[in-house]
Amino acid sequence: MQSVIIEDEKPAARRLQRMLENLDVQVLTVLHTVEEAITWFSTNPSPELIFLDIQLSDGLSFGIFEAVEISSPIIFTTAYDEYALQAFKLNSVDYLLKPIDDEELEAAVTKFRNRMPSESKLPNLQVLKSLLNLPKEYRKRFTIPVGQHLKLIHVGDVCCFYSENKGTYIYTCEGRSYLLEGSLDKLEPELDPALFFRVNRKFIIQMKSLKDIITYSNHRLEVKLENFQGEQIIVSRERVKDFKEWLS
C-alpha cells in the first residue's frame, strides 16, 4: 500500500514513517507544508492513503484539498481533543491522537485494508472545521506578477488596498502600487479585521499604516497613511462609528 505523510513536525513525521514501514506501508513522500503538498499533489496521482496533520506551519491542511482535487482516504494524525474526534467517525475516517500509539496505528491501517475501496471517501472538510472550532484563516501573503517575475507581498507590508479605474490595487509600505485580481468586495472577507478596515467603497486600510486622523466635514473623518501619495482618504459617514470601535 502506498501512502503520503503530511506533517510539519519532522521528528514526528520520521517516527510515523518508521512505524508505517514496519506495517509494510510504503511512504511515497513526506510533505511538511500546505504549499509543498499542493505542489506535490498537482503533479502526482493520489496515493491509496494519506496521513494528515491538521495544523501545519503555513496554515490548516484543509487548504490543500481546496486547492487541488484529491481522492485519497485520510487518517488524521492530530493533537486535537478526542471528544471532537469521536464525532468525526461519522465521516468514515480514522483519527489518531498524538503521540501516536503503535497498536492504534496498526488497527487503523488494518481497518483501511479490510474495507472495500468503494467504501473509502473523503470527509466533509467544512464539517470538520466547524466541529474543531478552528479559527478562521486570513490571507497572509499576495503573489503579484511583475513582468516575467512573481513578487511576494506579505500582509504586514501592505499600506492599503484601493480601487481605481475599475482596477484593484495593493499599495505597499515602500510606496509601490501593484494590480490585483478581483474586487475590494471579494478581497475584504479574506483580510483579518483586526488589521484591516474598509473606510469607504474605494479603500481598505491597514491599522499600522495610520499616520493621522482629521475631523472632516459632515461628521466624517480624513485619514492619512504613511508613505501614501494617492488621493484623499475619507471615512464615509456610515462607517465612522465602526471605524472608531476598530481603533479602540
Side-chain angles (χ1 to χ4, degrees), residues 11-245:
R14 288 194 294 268
R15 178 174 179 269
L16 178 57
Q17 182 171 4
R18 289 194 298 269
M19 294 168 70
L20 289 172
E21 289 171 349
N22 290 335
L23 296 173
D24 294 324
V25 177
Q26 180 186 3
V27 178
L28 295 174
T29 187
V30 178
L31 307 168
H32 302 292
T33 66
V34 172
E35 184 176 355
E36 186 178 349
I38 291 172
T39 301
W40 192 89
F41 282 105
S42 296
T43 56
N44 292 275
S46 297
E48 294 174 80
L49 185 61
I50 296 173
F51 292 86
L52 179 71
D53 190 11
I54 292 176
Q55 187 84 50
L56 302 177
S57 59
D58 61 341
L60 300 178
S61 57
F62 301 124
I64 300 167
F65 304 92
E66 294 169 353
V68 290
E69 184 176 349
I70 301 173
S71 58
S72 308
I74 301 168
I75 293 179
F76 284 94
T77 57
T78 176
Y80 282 98
D81 184 79
E82 59 183 324
Y83 298 107
L85 298 185
Q86 290 300 318
F88 300 158
K89 296 292 184 179
L90 298 174
N91 293 294
S92 300
V93 178
D94 282 304
Y95 299 82
L96 303 176
L97 285 171
K98 295 178 180 178
I100 296 173
D101 179 79
D102 292 81
E103 292 183 359
E104 290 182 354
L105 177 62
E106 184 176 2
V109 172
T110 300
K111 176 183 176 182
F112 173 76
R113 280 176 167 152
N114 289 340
R115 68 184 184 182
M116 296 297 291
S118 60
E119 295 175 339
S120 300
K121 63 178 182 178
L122 279 172
N124 186 318
L125 300 180
Q126 294 302 321
V127 171
L128 297 191
K129 285 183 181 180
S130 63
L131 288 173
L132 279 171
N133 195 26
L134 294 167
K136 182 175 180 181
E137 285 278 293
Y138 296 106
R139 288 288 293 267
K140 294 181 175 64
R141 65 190 69 84
F142 294 85
T143 304
I144 312 295
V146 181
Q148 295 181 327
H149 302 272
L150 293 176
K151 182 176 179 62
L152 193 65
I153 300 176
H154 293 271
V155 292
D157 298 324
V158 175
C159 174
C160 67
F161 302 90
Y162 67 95
S163 60
E164 184 177 83
N165 297 326
K166 298 183 179 181
T168 302
Y169 296 85
I170 184 171
Y171 191 90
T172 69
C173 297
E174 299 175 342
R176 298 285 303 276
S177 286
Y178 300 93
L179 181 65
L180 287 174
E181 292 185 0
S183 64
L184 290 184
D185 289 338
K186 181 180 178 181
L187 176 64
E188 186 177 3
E190 298 178 359
L191 301 173
D192 187 345
L195 304 177
F196 293 92
F197 187 85
R198 188 166 185 177
V199 295
N200 57 44
R201 63 184 181 84
K202 296 184 65 176
F203 279 92
I204 298 175
I205 67 171
Q206 164 116 266
M207 181 179 289
K208 76 171 191 175
S209 296
L210 277 171
K211 180 180 180 182
D212 198 7
I213 305 171
I214 305 166
T215 302
Y216 198 70
S217 63
N218 201 18
H219 303 288
R220 294 177 295 171
L221 297 172
E222 178 184 0
V223 296
K224 293 187 178 296
L225 306 178
E226 296 283 354
N227 299 324
F228 183 71
Q229 305 298 324
E231 67 179 84
Q232 188 179 39
I233 304 175
I234 305 297
V235 182
S236 60
R237 186 170 58 179
E238 63 272 15
R239 297 177 186 261
V240 167
K241 180 180 177 181
D242 290 339
F243 177 69
K244 290 180 178 179
E245 291 179 355

